[in-house]
Structures are given as structure tokens and as C-alpha cells.
Amino acid sequence: MKKRYRPPPTEAGIAASFSRRAMLIGAGQAALAAVLAGRMGYVAIAQNQRYSDLADSNRIQTRLIPPRRGWIVDRHGQPMASNRSDFRVDLIPDQIEDADRVIAELTRILSLTPEAVEKIREDLAAAAGFQPVPVAEHLSFEKFAEVTVRLPDLPGVSPLRAFARFYPEGAAVGHLIGYVGTPNRDEYEAENRSPLLLTPGFKIGKEGLEKVVEQRLRGRPGAARVEVTARGRLVRELRTLPDVSGAPLRTTIDAGLQSYAARRIGDESGACVIMDCNNGDLLAMASMPAYDPNAFSDGISRSEWAMMSEDERRPLLNKVLNALYPPGSTLKPMAAMALLEAGVDPEDVVSCGGGYRLGNRVFRCLGRHGPMNMHRAIARSCNTYFYAMAHRHGYEIIASMARALGLGERFDMPVVSQSYGTIPDAAWKRRRFDQAWSHSDSLNAVIGQGYVIVNPLQLATMSACLASGRRVRPRLIAGEGPAPADFAYDPAHFERIRRAMSEVVNGAGTAGRSRLPFPDILMGGKTGTAQVRAISSGSRGGAGVARRFRDHGLFVFFAPVDRPLYAGAVVIEHGMGGSRAAAPVARDVLTYLFDKDRAMAALEPLEREWGGNIGERMARRTTQWEAARAAAAAAPPPAEAP
């Protein structure tokens, strides 16, 4: 195939071709320049505000300032929960670039324990976005400064000078006041993802009053506008809007009395409640053993949690509100009041030969008391008298009086929860077990056994009603709560019950060893010993059985007898008797109200015998627990059977 002949290019043709290409390139460049100019104009003019805002947000940041929580104070204004300056370090998950390196560096600087590091990693994995993860609190200024100067190399680390919650009375107010902690994911979601809950250093109430009155204590956050470098380092503060502290909360509690009651319980497991019996103000609600809210607010270790969870004395349980006990003979004054209102002659005599026969069964008494009228039956705690009266007149009148005096009632109080127990009757048993009420049920219930269970606060309320002759209900916040009301009962009947309860302590009763150390101030009361297991074998829950089978010791009381001011209840779990374990605590706590120096003089030798104050004993117990756990971990595994 022949090639087509193409004439050689001429100089004019070459020039024309070059001109066309140059024009095309020039046109392209012009178009590109026009596009760039248009885009630059669009960005500079139309998007000016947007990019200006973005630049400002990168350079200028607004940081929320956590509000200081309102103080919780006692009836005299003494703080039970306050705030103190604190240096802390948090991690912001979304800002961390290399978590392992950052945590390793913080571990070196802050000397974090392996357990603390493990918890940080777990919290980091569970955190939501910008939710801060606490690393360390209560740092020295030197440690705080050491972290601060390394911020450019530690993205995601947020050192903060803030305020930490402080509880001066420690474990003595643990169950009453509660504690605060970092909000979790559920709490963050529940508050519509409020940014305040993600603010480093911000904590919310987790238990007790701290939780119930959270919004009242919280206050309003402040805000600080600051200029930072591209790496987040602070350049200067531009403007600060200060936070507004939460309102203080004044309670009815007497902090000194609360602390004394907790200390006086000692190493026992129990509760002590003291009320102003004329208006219902709660002066003390001690539940021991308890946790230290200062430690809980900082976040306790797993070993501490395990130690408390396995403690048979149940330090995590608020025994004032959430523990339920058979009240035992402490119900007898209430039962006597019901009999009086039903028209029973208080001089009617029942002969006690050591028990009461009902059909083929004998209901045992605590002794052979002989002829008993109502006064002597209360003073000597004669079961036989009350067995006979319940059998004759029925238990319904007693159940009705029990409810009127606060037993089995759920009180209107600012508490997280309360267990209100059971005051049984025929309708309750039919509803609960689909069975008819029996005479045996009546005889068990009238002496505070069987199906009857109550909490210590209800016992204190019952005592306050008997002492004042009025319908009193507990109040925890100063100026708030139900006002006392009058009963439709005969005041003379209350007076008769008070005289019998005085006989229990100041006469030939069961608590004669717990008289107040004042010649002109008398205490009235009633002991109770509640079984925790059946006594079909005839044995009681005394020192010869395992602790968990020993009887509970209870005592309800009021003072002074002639013009009652204070009433209350003490329960000592497995204390083996009200007169042995509970009444002495009530005596010393009431002594504190009338003569602090005398009461402290009685407490100091006891605490020396117990091995120190509450904090010292808790620290020693923790050390022993950790030593035992370490020894168990180091022990060789058992040899396999051949």
C-alpha cells in the first residue's frame, strides 16, 4: 500500500499552528484563573462568617465551669458535706490519639497502681465520646504541674483545678448523706445529654441525700472563654462567667450526736435513731458499719468493694431504713396501748407459769412471772400476759394500733429507698398465703415475732408517738415534713404506758442497768430480744451458737419520763438481747444530749478497747483483708489426688 504524500510544513503553517495552541492554553489558564478567583471570592465574601466562626472555634474555646455543690449542714449549721479545692486529672476519650502511650506516661508521672490503671482502661472503654474518665484526684500541686507542662505531648489529658466533695464525719454519715461520683452513660442519657455531665470534675449524687436532692444542691455552671494554640495549649482567658453554687441544705440532724451514735455502736452491726418526739425532727440516723463517703466519691478499688460485699455485718446496707427485724418485746407497750383503747382493764391479772397453752402447743415465756397485770407485764416483759390478751381480744386491734403509731408505714422522706416491713392481719395473710389467720399467728405477732418485721426508724417513730401522745412522723429536712397531729386516744392511756416503760429502766424491769447517770432525768424504755431462728429445740440464740443464729437485741426509749423530749430506737444485730446490747447504747447516746463531756468520758475507754476510732478500725480491717488476700493468692495450689 502506498503512503499518502504529505507536503513539508511551511514556516507560515508552523506559526499558525503555534498561535492556535497558545490561544487554547491561554484560554484554559484564563478559565482556571476565573474559577479560582470566583472560588476565592465565594469563600472570602459569601462564606466569610462561616470560616471566621470555624477559626474562632479552633482558637477560642468555651469551657464549662462545674458548679460547686451546696453544702449539707446539720440543724446547727455545722457542715456534714462541704467542698474543698482539688487538683485532678481526667481523660477525654475523643481527644486521645494514643491511649496506651498516654496512660503509660500518666502512670509514670502519677505513680498509678496497676489496679487503678485497669479501672481507667475499663472506664475509657465504656465512656461515651467526650465523657471524662477520672484518672486521679487530690493531687499535690507538684504532680498537677508536672502533668500540665506535658500537655502538648499528652493529647486527651485534662488537668483541672476544681472542688471536691468532703465529708468531715466520714463513715458516721455514710448511709445518711451518701456520696457523689462521675455521671455514667445512663445518667448522661437521662439528662438529655447535657454537656455539663461531660465536664471534667463534675459529679452528681449517687446515694443518700446527695442523690435525692441532687437538683437542689447542683447549682448553675459557669463558663470561661479561653484562647488556645492549635495544640490546645492555653494562651489567655478572655472572659469568665462565674458559676453559681447550689443552695445549702439544712437537715434536722445533730452532727455531733450522729457521730457519737455511730462511734458508740462500735464494732457491732446495728442502727441507732434519735427523734425530737414533739415535732418528729430526726436528730441521728446512725447505721454501722458503713462506708466512708470520701472514699466512695474518689472511686473505691475492687478489693475494697469485695471486702465490704463479703462482710457479714453488711456495711453497704442502711440498716435504719432498709433492714427489717422482728421487733420482739419492744411491741408490748404498743400492744398494751391497743388493749387500753379496746377497754381492757389494766388491772386484769394473768398468771404466768412459764408459758401459755393453746390447744396442744405451749407458747413459752421468758420465765415464771406469776400474777401479772399490764404494768408488771410490760416491766418484766411477760409473754404469757400478752399471749392471753391477744387470744381473748384478737390481734386486729393491735395491728390497727401498730399502724397508727407508724409501724409498717412508708414515710414521706427524702431518701433513696426504705423497706417498710409487715404488720400482718387476717386480710394480709389471706392475700399473701391464701390462708386463714389463726390464734397461733396472733400469739406470735403480739410479742413481735412471726410475720411481724419492721425497720429501726419505725420503732423510733412508735416510741415518739407513745412518749408524746401525738401522731409524730419523722422529718429530715429542716422546716419540711408532716406536722404532728393529735390522736383520738385517751391521754391517760399514754401516761399509763409511759409509767410502765419507766419501770422497765428505773424499777424492777429488764433494763435496770441502763439508767441515765442523772438523778433528775429518767429514761423510759422497753427491751426486745428477737429470734432469728426457730426455738423448737428449746435453745435460744445466745453465745453458744454461730453469730448469724444469735438473737437480735433491740431497745425503744424516750427521755425525760416526766416531759419527753427525745425518743428513739437501737437495734444491734445478733446482740443476744436488748438489755445486754442495745439499752447501753441508748443510755450513752441520751447522756450525750444532756451532758456531752460525761458521754465522751464513757466512750473513750470503749474505743481504746475496740482498737481506736472508726477510721482507725476501718483502715486496720482493710489492711488485714488485703494481707489475707495476698497470702491466699501466694499459697501453692492443693496437690492433686493420686
Side-chain angles (χ1 to χ4, degrees):
M1 181 178 178
K2 290 184 177 179
K3 289 186 176 179
R4 184 178 180 183
Y5 174 75
R6 300 182 66 178
T10 64
E11 185 174 346
I14 293 172
S17 175
F18 178 79
S19 297
R20 284 196 302 273
R21 291 176 180 177
M23 288 181 64
L24 288 173
I25 292 172
Q29 289 175 334
L32 180 61
V35 170
L36 290 175
R39 178 63 182 171
M40 289 177 64
Y42 175 76
V43 170
I45 299 172
Q47 298 289 305
N48 177 272
Q49 189 61 46
R50 174 170 177 262
Y51 286 101
S52 177
D53 292 344
L54 289 174
D56 279 348
S57 66
N58 188 44
R59 181 178 63 87
I60 299 174
Q61 295 182 358
T62 300
R63 297 176 177 174
L64 285 175
I65 300 174
R68 286 160 290 179
R69 293 180 72 82
W71 288 19
I72 300 176
V73 301
D74 79 344
R75 62 192 299 109
H76 306 299
Q78 180 178 334
M80 294 194 292
S82 59
N83 305 313
R84 63 181 179 184
S85 295
D86 182 40
F87 294 110
R88 57 177 295 121
V89 170
D90 297 283
L91 286 176
I92 309 300
D94 278 5
Q95 295 179 356
I96 295 179
E97 296 175 358
D98 185 346
D100 291 338
R101 184 185 66 79
V102 169
I103 293 174
E105 186 66 7
L106 289 176
T107 301
R108 185 188 66 79
I109 297 173
L110 303 177
S111 302
L112 300 176
T113 64
E115 191 173 12
V117 171
E118 184 180 354
K119 187 171 188 308
I120 292 170
R121 291 186 184 280
E122 290 178 356
D123 292 346
L124 204 57
F130 278 85
Q131 182 182 14
V133 171
V135 173
E137 298 176 302
H138 313 319
L139 297 173
S140 66
F141 179 76
E142 290 75 16
K143 292 288 186 185
F144 180 78
E146 195 172 350
V147 173
T148 302
V149 298
R150 286 176 168 76
L151 278 185
D153 300 324
L154 297 172
V157 175
S158 173
L160 186 70
R161 183 173 184 175
F163 291 93
R165 206 58 162 164
F166 177 60
Y167 306 93
E169 302 296 338
V173 299
H175 291 300
L176 170 64
I177 303 298
Y179 60 92
V180 296
T182 303
N184 57 33
R185 184 189 295 268
D186 293 338
E187 290 158 343
Y188 173 61
E189 299 288 346
E191 295 206 21
N192 298 319
R193 302 190 177 192
S194 167
L196 177 60
L197 270 65
L198 301 180
T199 306
F202 179 74
K203 292 184 176 181
I204 64 173
K206 295 283 188 175
E207 191 57 64
L209 279 174
E210 292 276 29
K211 180 176 183 179
V212 177
V213 292
E214 166 65 27
Q215 296 302 324
R216 187 167 169 176
L217 294 172
R218 180 177 292 184
R220 292 204 307 272
R225 283 170 60 83
V226 295
E227 184 177 358
V228 297
T229 66
R231 305 195 69 171
R233 193 166 189 173
L234 178 66
V235 175
R236 59 175 173 160
E237 288 194 7
L238 301 177
R239 186 186 176 193
T240 300
L241 181 65
D243 65 297
V244 177
S245 299
L249 181 72
R250 183 181 291 273
T251 67
T252 60
I253 297 294
D254 181 328
L257 181 67
Q258 172 79 20
S259 178
Y260 186 89
R263 293 171 62 182
R264 182 58 185 82
I265 292 173
D267 278 339
E268 299 284 359
S269 173
C272 176
V273 184
I274 310 290
M275 295 174 65
D276 182 326
C277 62
N278 291 308
N279 57 25
D281 283 357
L282 287 161
L283 305 180
M285 296 175 66
S287 170
M288 295 299 289
Y291 54 81
D292 185 345
N294 292 300
F296 265 59
S297 295
D298 297 341
I300 65 168
S301 65
R302 286 183 173 181
S303 62
E304 289 176 294
W305 178 263
M307 181 185 71
M308 288 188 281
S309 300
E310 297 175 14
D311 192 336
E312 65 175 353
R313 301 176 308 153
R314 304 185 294 175
L316 298 175
L317 178 69
N318 184 347
K319 299 177 182 67
V320 172
L321 295 166
N322 299 117
L324 296 172
Y325 308 93
S329 297
T330 58
L331 288 198
K332 287 173 180 171
M334 178 278 298
M337 182 69 194
L339 295 172
L340 289 172
E341 284 297 312
V344 174
D345 184 347
E347 298 305 325
D348 281 355
V349 171
V350 173
S351 181
C352 173
Y356 184 82
R357 178 171 292 279
L358 179 68
N360 294 326
R361 180 179 173 185
V362 176
F363 288 75
R364 297 178 183 278
C365 191
L366 302 177
R368 294 176 179 271
H369 296 107
M372 289 281 112
N373 63 9
M374 182 179 289
H375 183 90
R376 291 197 296 275
I378 293 175
R380 305 286 182 84
S381 198
C382 178
N383 288 349
T384 302
Y385 175 88
F386 288 95
Y387 290 148
M389 290 297 172
H391 192 196
R392 291 177 195 172
H393 303 284
Y395 180 71
E396 293 295 330
I397 57 171
I398 297 171
S400 176
M401 179 62 69
R403 297 189 187 100
L405 301 189
L407 299 178
E409 181 175 334
R410 186 173 189 172
F411 301 120
D412 182 16
M413 293 176 61
V415 294
V416 174
S417 65
Q418 53 182 311
S419 302
Y420 43 92
T422 301
I423 296 298
D425 57 14
W428 174 86
K429 189 176 180 183
R430 177 66 66 187
R431 187 171 61 250
R432 181 72 172 79
F433 298 109
D434 193 20
Q435 295 176 359
W437 186 262
S438 68
H439 291 302
S440 295
D441 294 330
S442 296
L443 269 58
N444 281 323
V446 76
I447 62 164
Q449 294 282 175
Y451 300 118
V452 182
I453 49 174
V454 298
N455 68 37
L457 180 60
Q458 292 170 345
L459 287 175
T461 302
M462 176 194 72
S463 183
C465 290
L466 291 172
S468 65
R470 306 189 70 195
R471 187 184 186 279
V472 180
R473 290 298 182 266
R475 306 192 304 189
L476 184 55
I477 306 301
E480 299 180 11
D486 292 331
F487 281 124
Y489 305 139
D490 187 343
H493 294 165
F494 283 110
E495 179 58 28
R496 182 177 290 275
I497 298 301
R498 286 193 288 267
R499 289 204 305 271
M501 292 178 72
S502 177
E503 182 79 8
V504 171
V505 181
N506 308 295
T510 55
R513 292 177 297 176
S514 296
R515 296 175 186 172
L516 292 179
F518 311 108
D520 55 343
I521 303 176
L522 301 181
M523 172 175 69
K526 182 68 193 78
T527 56
T529 300
Q531 298 172 243
V532 296
R533 67 170 185 173
I535 57 172
S536 57
S537 61
S539 62
R540 292 301 301 259
V545 300
R547 180 183 179 277
R548 66 180 186 277
F549 295 130
R550 295 175 184 170
D551 297 337
H552 296 315
L554 305 97
F555 189 63
V556 296
F557 56 92
F558 65 91
V561 168
D562 54 347
R563 51 180 183 84
L565 297 174
Y566 309 111
V570 175
V571 177
I572 302 297
E573 291 184 339
H574 311 294
M576 297 187 294
S579 61
R580 174 186 180 276
V585 175
R587 175 199 61 205
D588 290 351
V589 172
L590 283 178
T591 301
Y592 179 92
L593 283 167
F594 296 111
D595 188 338
K596 291 184 175 59
D597 293 338
R598 187 190 287 259
M600 294 306 297
L603 177 61
E604 287 167 0
L606 290 175
E607 288 199 321
R608 283 197 297 273
E609 179 183 336
W610 297 332
N613 59 33
I614 295 174
E616 292 168 342
R617 298 199 305 273
M618 288 178 67
R620 186 167 55 253
R621 193 181 294 272
T622 302
T623 302
Q624 291 171 347
W625 162 270
E626 291 178 344
R629 195 180 65 151
E640 294 183 2

